[in-house]
Amino acid sequence: MQSRRLLLTSFAALALALVSGIASAQGSQRVIKVGALKLIHSITPHFYAKFAPAGYTIQVIPFESPTDGKNAVLTGTVDFGTFGIAAAMLGAAAGEPLVVYAPQCNRGMAVVAGPASDIKSIKDLKGRKVAIWPAPRRRS
């Protein structure tokens, strides 16, 4: 439990460091906008406010997909977000200016298979098709 508290405190401190310029530019309003998925493994940002220093408010903005959240970070709709590594890798491959700085929620994303499947480990995926939510296509 103590390590989780330390992790949450670290995330709150990182969020403050990332957006301190934004907060000071907005005067006394100190709102940190955090993007999160509408999934249980993205619950951590909902606890950031508990660890934020006086004068700061954490606003969690929910997203339907990792790509939507990643795009919100790029456009400045949110100050930072907690989304899947796949969306970040696809964005980086497309030349988008992204930085992946930490995992969250104890590796909350997972490869899953049905209970009747013969897939019991990552090694069992060899030779099979695996799907990932793609980034939206860019218009030329």
Side-chain angles (χ1 to χ4, degrees), residues 25-75:
Q26 293 177 347
S28 63
Q29 182 183 7
R30 298 177 185 165
V31 177
I32 300 171
K33 294 180 182 178
V34 181
L37 294 175
K38 292 182 179 179
L39 300 169
I40 191 63
H41 69 264
S42 195
I43 193 77
T44 306
H46 295 274
F47 294 97
Y48 288 176
K50 185 175 180 179
F51 301 97
Y56 288 88
T57 301
I58 306 294
Q59 180 183 4
V60 179
I61 310 224
F63 290 93
E64 296 288 336
S65 76
T67 304
D68 291 343
K70 182 254 320 165
N71 290 341
V73 171
L74 291 172
T75 62

Side-chain angles (χ1 to χ4, degrees), residues 19-135:
V19 297
S20 61
I22 293 169
S24 62
Q26 293 177 347
S28 63
Q29 182 183 7
R30 298 177 185 165
V31 177
I32 300 171
K33 294 180 182 178
V34 181
L37 294 175
K38 292 182 179 179
L39 300 169
I40 191 63
H41 69 264
S42 195
I43 193 77
T44 306
H46 295 274
F47 294 97
Y48 288 176
K50 185 175 180 179
F51 301 97
Y56 288 88
T57 301
I58 306 294
Q59 180 183 4
V60 179
I61 310 224
F63 290 93
E64 296 288 336
S65 76
T67 304
D68 291 343
K70 182 254 320 165
N71 290 341
V73 171
L74 291 172
T75 62
T77 304
V78 297
D79 299 310
F80 75 101
T82 58
F83 310 110
I85 188 74
M89 289 177 13
L90 289 168
E96 296 173 344
L98 296 167
V99 175
V100 177
Y101 60 87
Q104 64 123 15
C105 291
N106 196 24
R107 294 174 250 140
M109 300 287 276
V111 175
V112 296
S117 171
D118 61 343
I119 298 172
K120 303 299 180 208
S121 73
I122 294 295
K123 291 178 183 178
D124 296 332
L125 295 175
K126 186 174 182 175
R128 297 179 183 241
K129 290 183 180 180
V130 179
I132 187 168
W133 192 314

